[in-house]
Amino acid sequence: DPALWTGKLTDQEKCQLIKRGPVQIKDFDFAQNDDKVPRCFTEENYQKKMKNGEEIHRKWLVYSVSSDSVFCFCCKLFERGTRYALSSSGFRSWINLHSHSKEHENGKSHRANMQSWRELDERLKSGKTINSASQELQALEVQYWRAVLSRIIAILCYLAEHNQALRGHSEKLFEPHNGNLLGQIELMAQFDPIMSKHLRRTDKKEIKDHYVSNTIQNELIALVGQKTCDAIVQKVKEAKYFSVIMDCTPDISHTKQLSLVLHIVNCEDIDSQDLVLEVRAAVIVFPGHISSSAEMLDYIYKENLLELYGNLSIALQLLLTLPVTVASGERSVSSLKLIKTYLRSTMSKERLNGLAMISIEQESLEILKYGGHNQSFC
């Protein structure tokens, strides 16, 4: 978030930001301002429209969620003065954003900063910076912390999937009754060289942050839970047909918890006359061991028979989508009761939501684990 870049950035911070590149917020509910006619930032502002109708992507324009304003990525990095709002406190007069962006990108200062950004980016990619040795050491340190966080997240997800408490009476390493998370980290350190090195550096106070505190736990739970939720939302957006089941029940602290279950399929509309012919053919052709709707649909796709049974596959998907019982919702409620027990009744809502998402949506979480998504927050 560019609004959080306080003070003068060091050369190392600039290099890290350039390596990561500008992050442009998309698919977001942008807040409206307090004008007489409320306006808000839109994704169309990321594009520059030419007179001939062509659109050019404004890579330098970034939106800040915390300040509800936009910044110029390169000017925020390299601009020494504070003449422009886009390089200092941010610009949020949305009615004037089009004209201001056009004026800004044609300015000499912006063009010079764009050139500095491009040159430094090329030097970083080719490893020809002046402090290349320092960059190599920094890359090793990033790799080390990424490996440490990946292991901590793996332990955290394992405990959450099995509805185990993370914290104990003590929140310090190498103390008795310090909880399952710290205990598992200490156990892994006996066999894993990376965690062994991490705990040794923590014990000798070579590093200040060990990333196993309760605050970091909550942040990691929220991040993993949000990633899992985003994956589910993406499936719903891609689906044409889906059903919703909701169930509500009070938990151990007499707080009502809402469980939301989604059944999702992707298919097209059905031709009823063709469906009748396909059903008759399927009765004759399909093997005798196929007895359920799920097995029939699986057989159609595995044997590449979609061209012959296209309408039947759509009908089966719709059938499998229909909510016949509320058992799925009841199972979700049961998982909530396993997570928020009498001994964990003071758990915050955010922590409960994250742990419930990890525990219930284990299948979606497995895809995230092995899909390289850990790098988005490691």
Side-chain angles (χ1 to χ4, degrees), residues 50-61:
M50 308 301 291
K51 289 185 177 181
N52 62 353
E54 293 183 11
E55 292 185 349
I56 300 176
H57 183 59
R58 285 183 173 131
K59 188 179 178 182
W60 54 268
L61 188 65

Side-chain angles (χ1 to χ4, degrees), residues 165-299:
L166 274 65
R167 298 161 61 186
H169 296 294
S170 174
E171 295 183 1
K172 295 182 179 180
L173 289 165
F174 308 111
E175 288 191 2
H177 310 295
N178 57 3
N180 289 324
L181 180 64
L182 296 183
Q184 291 289 332
I185 290 174
E186 293 171 4
L187 177 63
M188 180 179 284
Q190 297 180 20
F191 307 97
D192 183 68
I194 294 177
M195 290 305 297
S196 177
K197 177 183 177 182
H198 180 62
L199 294 193
R200 176 182 56 78
R201 293 178 68 184
T202 303
D203 188 36
K204 293 184 178 181
K205 297 183 178 180
E206 297 178 6
I207 52 177
K208 294 182 180 179
D209 301 318
H210 49 68
Y211 290 97
V212 292
S213 66
N214 60 335
T215 304
I216 298 298
Q217 289 178 31
N218 290 336
E219 291 183 5
L220 292 177
I221 290 170
L223 285 169
V224 176
Q226 186 60 47
K227 280 291 180 183
T228 308
C229 183
D230 291 343
I232 297 172
V233 170
Q234 185 62 33
K235 289 181 181 179
V236 174
K237 288 182 178 180
E238 295 173 355
K240 186 170 183 180
Y241 301 102
F242 64 90
S243 61
V244 181
I245 303 175
M246 290 184 288
D247 194 9
C248 187
T249 185
D251 58 21
I252 193 67
S253 61
H254 305 289
T255 303
K256 284 193 174 182
Q257 303 292 347
L258 177 66
S259 172
L260 182 68
V261 180
L262 296 170
H263 285 223
I264 307 165
V265 292
N266 292 287
C267 54
E268 301 294 334
D269 295 331
I270 299 176
D271 188 321
S272 58
Q273 294 181 353
D274 291 345
L275 176 61
V276 174
L277 298 176
E278 292 176 11
V279 170
R280 291 175 178 173
V283 172
I284 301 173
V285 176
F286 280 24
H289 62 83
I290 296 178
S291 57
S292 67
S293 302
E295 290 177 350
M296 292 175 67
L297 185 62
D298 187 57
Y299 178 78

